[in-house]
Amino acid sequence: MGFTYRNERLFAEELDCEAIAEEYGTPCYVYSRAAMEAALAQYHQALKGCEYLVCYAVKANSNIAVLDTLARCGAGFDIVSVGELERVLAAGGDPGKVVFSGVVKRPDEMRRALQVGIRCFNVESAAELEVLQSVAAELNVRAPVSVRVNPDVDAGTHPYISTGLRENKFGVATDAAMALLRRATTMENIHITGLDCHIGSQLVDMSPLLDALQQLLLMVDALQAEGIHIRHLDLGGGIGVRYRDEEPPAVADYIAAVREALGDRDLGLVFEPGRSIVANAGVLLTRVHYLKETDAHSFALVDAAMNDFIRPALYQAWVDIQATSPNDAEPRLWNIVGPVCETGDFLGKDRELALASGTLLAIHGAGAYGFVMSSNYNTRPRAAEVMIDGNKPYLIRERETIGDLLRGEHRLPQ
Ligand SMILES: *Cc1c(COP(=O)(O)O)cnc(C)c1O
C-alpha cells in the first residue's frame, strides 16, 4: 500500500512520482495518507476491547497535515516540547489525548500543557517532579503524572537510539522510581496515574520490550500492595520497520503478547509509536544531476543531501534507493551523494542501479525522522512536503526560499 511499482514506474497511491516531481520540484518528501492510516489502524485493531490510547510520537513526522490525518483516525499524541504541543493544537488534535515526554520540560512548557489539559506528564526525574508540583500549585490544578522507568534493558538497536540502559539519560531506575512514586503521593498538586517506559527505537525483537513490561508489572503489583493504584501503563514506541531485510515483530503479535502479560490486572494501555506509523508511508524524491567516475568509486551526485535526510550519515542507516522509472543505462554500483561539503554526506553506498543524468530516485522509508531532522546546513532551503490522497496531491509544506532562510538575521550597524 502507499508506494507501488506499476510497469517499473513508482506510484504514490494513484500518482506517478515523476509527475509529482515535475509539479513540486526536487528534493521533495511525498507521503501516502492511506499508508499512514493503515499503519495506525493496526494498533487500533490489536487493541480492540481494551481501554487504550495510541499516542503517535510527533517527533517522527510533525507536519500538521500528518497530525490532522492521524487525529481524525483517533490518535492521541506523544510530545517532547511545547512546540509539538502547539502543532497538535494547530492540527485540531485533542489535548486530552496528549502525553508529554522528555527529560527537560521547562516551567513555561508545563504551564501551557496544564492550561490546555493534557492527559499526562511522563516525568523523568525527581527534580522535574518538584518543579511540576510548584507549577501546578501556581495554577491551582493537579498534574496527572506517569513516572518514566528506566528498566536497564538492552534494546539491541543503534546506540544513539537506545534509551533504556542504565547509562542513558532517560527515566528513573526502578528502585528510585518506587521512592519517587511514594513521594509523589504526598504532593498536593500531583496525581499519579501511570508508569511508562520507552527503551529505544527501530527494535526488531520484541523480547526487550516484554522484559521491560515485566518490570513495570512487578512495580504495579508492589505499589498496589502499598495502596498506590496505577491506572495505566505506557510502553512507549520503538517497534521497528523493514528498511531492507529486518523482520520486526508484527504490531498485532506484540500487542497480543502485551495483553497476555497483563493478565487480569485493571490497567489501561498507552503506546507511543512513531516510526512504525509513518516510516514506510513516505519517500524522498531526488534527482541525479551529475555522474562522476573516480579511480575508487562511481558517484551519482543528487540534489538531496544530509541536510535533507540525515539518517544514513548520523546512524549509518541503510535505506532503499530506487529509480522511479526504467532506464537504458547499464546497471552498476553507485555511491549516491549530495551537494553538502562533507564526506559524510551520503545517502547510500554501493547501490546497483541503472542511472543517467536526470534520473529521478526515490529514497524509501523516509516518512519517519526524515523532514523533521532536516536543517539549513550549507544554506540549503528545506524540501517541500506533499501528501497524496488517492489521485490528489496536496502541498502540505512549501519549499523554503532563500528569503525564509535570511529572515531574522541582522547585519551590524554601520
Ligand atoms: C522517539 C520516542 C517515541 C517514538 O519512537 P519510535 O521508535 O519512532 O516508535 C516514543 N516515545 C518516546 C518517549 C520517544 O522519545
Side-chain angles (χ1 to χ4, degrees), residues 197-250:
C197 70
H198 171 73
I199 62 171
S201 198
Q202 185 54 14
L203 274 71
V204 291
D205 178 3
M206 67 171 143
S207 58
L209 291 162
L210 298 179
D211 289 349
L213 170 60
Q214 285 305 336
Q215 295 198 39
L216 294 190
L217 289 174
L218 287 175
M219 291 178 68
V220 167
D221 295 344
L223 289 161
Q224 187 72 34
E226 295 182 24
I228 302 173
H229 180 53
I230 296 297
R231 295 189 46 210
H232 80 261
L233 287 188
D234 175 346
L235 299 177
I239 290 289
V241 301
R242 176 173 293 197
Y243 289 110
R244 186 179 199 170
D245 50 12
E246 300 91 335
E247 293 195 356

Side-chain angles (χ1 to χ4, degrees), residues 57 59 78 101 148 198 200-202 236-239 272-275 369:
K59 75 177 194 281
D78 169 48
S101 302
R148 178 166 177 180
H198 171 73
S201 198
Q202 185 54 14
I239 290 289
E272 303 169 350
R275 191 188 306 270
Y369 306 109

Side-chain angles (χ1 to χ4, degrees), residues 1 23 52 129 147 216 249:
M1 183 182 310
E23 170 92 20
Y52 74 94
L129 185 68
V147 170
L216 294 190

Side-chain angles (χ1 to χ4, degrees), residues 42-55:
Q42 293 196 345
Y43 281 86
H44 285 314
Q45 185 67 33
L47 285 158
K48 244 187 206 144
C50 292
E51 185 194 329
Y52 74 94
L53 202 52
V54 182
C55 292

